[in-house]
Amino acid sequence: DIVTMVKRKTQFDQEFLNPNRVKAIYSETSGECHYFSRAPLPHKRTQSEIDKWFLHIGFYSYKPQALKGFCSAAPSHYEKYEGLEQLRAIEQGLRIGAIEINSELIGIDTPDDVSLVEGVLSAQEK
């Protein structure tokens, strides 16, 4: 119904803990995302259990009917809780597939991110 992008990460660092970096519970087997969260997911009980996590890249492609249903629905329970609109789609029963990318992208999720991107663009102009 919907397709988005994810990036495999192997470092459990500040980015993993940052609530402005949305984590996806993504199945490499099915190619689908089952949940998105601002929390550090998946939870790592021991050092050896989990070797990767997936950063959500907030770019979407919708089938027309999915977009129509999504737009006509009220914000859902978990969407309001996490502040993530894609949870509305999951709660509606829509399936969200994902494409794993390798590119390093800079998302603008906070005012501080604007300065970061401006710095990168400024460096490219020189």
Side-chain angles (χ1 to χ4, degrees):
D1 301 303
I2 303 168
V3 177
T4 190
M5 295 185 287
V6 295
K7 175 147 176 71
R8 177 189 307 262
K9 297 291 199 165
T10 57
Q11 299 294 314
F12 292 84
D13 53 11
Q14 285 305 108
E15 184 176 37
F16 181 66
L17 299 173
N18 185 340
N20 294 310
R21 301 296 183 246
V22 176
K23 280 61 84 179
I25 299 299
Y26 168 69
S27 168
E28 294 173 271
T29 305
S30 70
E32 292 184 16
C33 294
H34 300 290
Y35 194 75
F36 298 86
S37 183
R38 295 179 179 283
L41 289 178
H43 175 69
K44 192 173 180 182
R45 280 185 60 191
T46 68
Q47 192 63 27
S48 63
E49 282 186 12
I50 299 170
D51 60 350
K52 65 185 176 283
W53 61 280
F54 290 93
L55 176 67
H56 177 237
I57 309 300
F59 181 88
Y60 302 96
S61 176
Y62 290 81
K63 287 184 176 177
Q65 278 302 103
L67 182 58
K68 185 176 179 181
F70 175 83
C71 291
S72 65
S76 68
H77 173 76
Y78 289 110
E79 174 185 5
K80 290 187 272 185
Y81 189 77
E82 292 257 19
L84 298 171
E85 71 282 348
Q86 61 272 44
L87 296 178
R88 180 187 327 169
I90 289 173
E91 288 188 80
Q92 287 181 313
L94 297 175
R95 295 170 61 190
I96 301 179
I99 297 168
E100 190 176 336
I101 65 165
N102 294 318
S103 302
E104 283 297 329
L105 303 175
I106 301 171
I108 300 178
D109 300 303
T110 68
D112 290 339
D113 294 336
V114 174
S115 301
L116 177 65
V117 171
E118 287 175 340
V120 170
L121 292 174
S122 180
Q124 289 179 350
E125 290 175 357
K126 294 179 183 176

